[in-house]
Amino acid sequence: MGRAMLLQRWLGPTLLSAGHRSAGGRNQTPFTPKLKHLSLFRSPSSRHGMAEEAKKLAGYAAVDNHVQNNQVVGVGSGSTIVYAVDRLAERVRQEKLNIVCVPTSFQARQLILQHGLTLSDLDRHPELDVAIDGADEVDAALTLIKGGGGCLTQEKIVAGCAKHFIVIADFRKDSSVLGQQWKKGVPIEVIPMAYVPVSRTIAKRFGGEAVLRMAVSKAGPVVTDNSNFILDWKFEHTHNWKEVNIAIKMIPGVVETGLFVGMAERVYFGMEDGNVGVRDPPVN
């Protein structure tokens, strides 16, 4: 069964944007997130419920369209990936699939084990067939901000090892340009001793402010799975993200950035009306 048929099988019509295409590749009516203003008339609990359902739709679509038997699958981190793993486990049980999973974080590892899926790592499986992960924000060119959950380095490593990197998100993460929806900045993982000089260098060279992320349920800063700190760079304007990503990574003490440039092959957006939008990279 083809991707388009799989998507239509349970999702119905697919919403598309200028860069949104159907799974079969045909250009459709341009989509813009016009439903956003309707949320003004909904309670916060109602909007939260819609966002959770949207995450589920996106996660299910990605697994149904990109996971096949005898594959090694990279499992991302965050709230949306929970639904993708639910669907993956369901398909493994129902279809008797042979799937090996490589996690991007402690959270992803626990999800894999809780669902009884086969756990592996990059030592044993350094090349993945597909990686599925969420995003904090996606722009029109499929440039991503990731790392709101603090797992950006492992997420980028796993995505870079995959033949296909597929992103899942709800309607709140869809932006024309980075910073339009996500206001918390670009996460940057740093060696602890370097967080002050790195923060100063970023602000001086690129503007804005790079703030040390503080923990909520513990005293002191957030500490990553790699025992590092995270700076959240709140930029002031749109940049050439490819150039900025490279420049920041060259600063001594920087481990990785939450800018994922030219990595995503496709993004599935769960929408407010129960449909799924599909965005592919723009054709240059």
Side-chain angles (χ1 to χ4, degrees), residues 166-188:
I166 307 301
V167 175
I168 53 178
D170 65 76
F171 52 88
R172 301 171 302 174
K173 311 300 176 64
D174 184 7
S175 295
S176 298
V177 295
L178 295 185
Q180 180 181 351
Q181 302 282 2
W182 180 254
K183 304 300 183 182
K184 297 181 180 181
V186 175
I188 300 167

Side-chain angles (χ1 to χ4, degrees), residues 46-252:
S46 173
R47 183 169 173 81
H48 174 76
M50 293 176 66
E52 290 304 308
E53 183 61 25
K55 293 176 184 180
K56 181 177 180 179
L57 290 170
Y60 275 46
V63 171
D64 281 354
N65 284 279
H66 297 279
V67 175
Q68 302 174 13
N69 194 26
N70 298 316
Q71 283 188 331
V72 182
V73 179
V75 176
S77 306
S79 59
T80 309
I81 201 67
V82 172
Y83 297 104
V85 176
D86 285 345
R87 179 56 178 160
L88 179 59
E90 185 177 59
R91 286 193 59 198
V92 167
R93 290 193 303 269
Q94 294 177 350
E95 303 173 37
K96 310 298 181 186
L97 301 181
N98 176 33
I99 299 294
V100 173
C101 298
V102 175
T104 58
S105 65
F106 180 84
Q107 179 221 11
R109 181 180 184 276
Q110 295 305 106
L111 280 174
I112 292 165
L113 293 175
Q114 288 167 7
H115 285 78
L117 297 167
T118 301
L119 176 69
S120 188
D121 52 42
L122 294 177
D123 290 344
R124 288 171 286 182
H125 293 90
E127 185 174 289
L128 314 181
D129 294 291
V130 61
I132 300 175
D133 205 346
D136 297 309
E137 189 170 38
V138 184
D139 75 4
L142 265 65
T143 300
L144 317 175
I145 292 178
K146 290 177 52 58
C151 307
L152 56 147
T153 299
Q154 298 99 303
E155 289 171 344
K156 191 175 282 190
I157 291 169
V158 169
C161 292
K163 297 176 185 176
H164 306 285
F165 178 41
I166 307 301
V167 175
I168 53 178
D170 65 76
F171 52 88
R172 301 171 302 174
K173 311 300 176 64
D174 184 7
S175 295
S176 298
V177 295
L178 295 185
Q180 180 181 351
Q181 302 282 2
W182 180 254
K183 304 300 183 182
K184 297 181 180 181
V186 175
I188 300 167
E189 186 164 347
V190 298
I191 301 297
M193 69 173 291
Y195 85 90
V196 170
V198 169
S199 175
R200 290 168 57 89
T201 299
I202 290 172
K204 181 178 180 180
R205 292 181 59 183
F206 306 108
E209 184 181 23
V211 180
L212 181 66
R213 186 185 298 182
M214 303 304 291
V216 175
S217 298
K218 68 172 281 289
V222 168
V223 178
T224 71
D225 288 356
N226 306 311
S227 301
N228 294 318
F229 291 171
I230 291 181
L231 297 173
D232 289 305
W233 172 42
K234 299 178 182 180
F235 53 90
E236 297 174 331
H237 56 84
T238 300
H239 294 262
N240 180 320
W241 297 118
K242 182 177 181 180
E243 292 181 358
V244 168
N245 181 54
I246 294 171
I248 291 177
K249 288 179 66 173
M250 293 300 293
I251 299 172

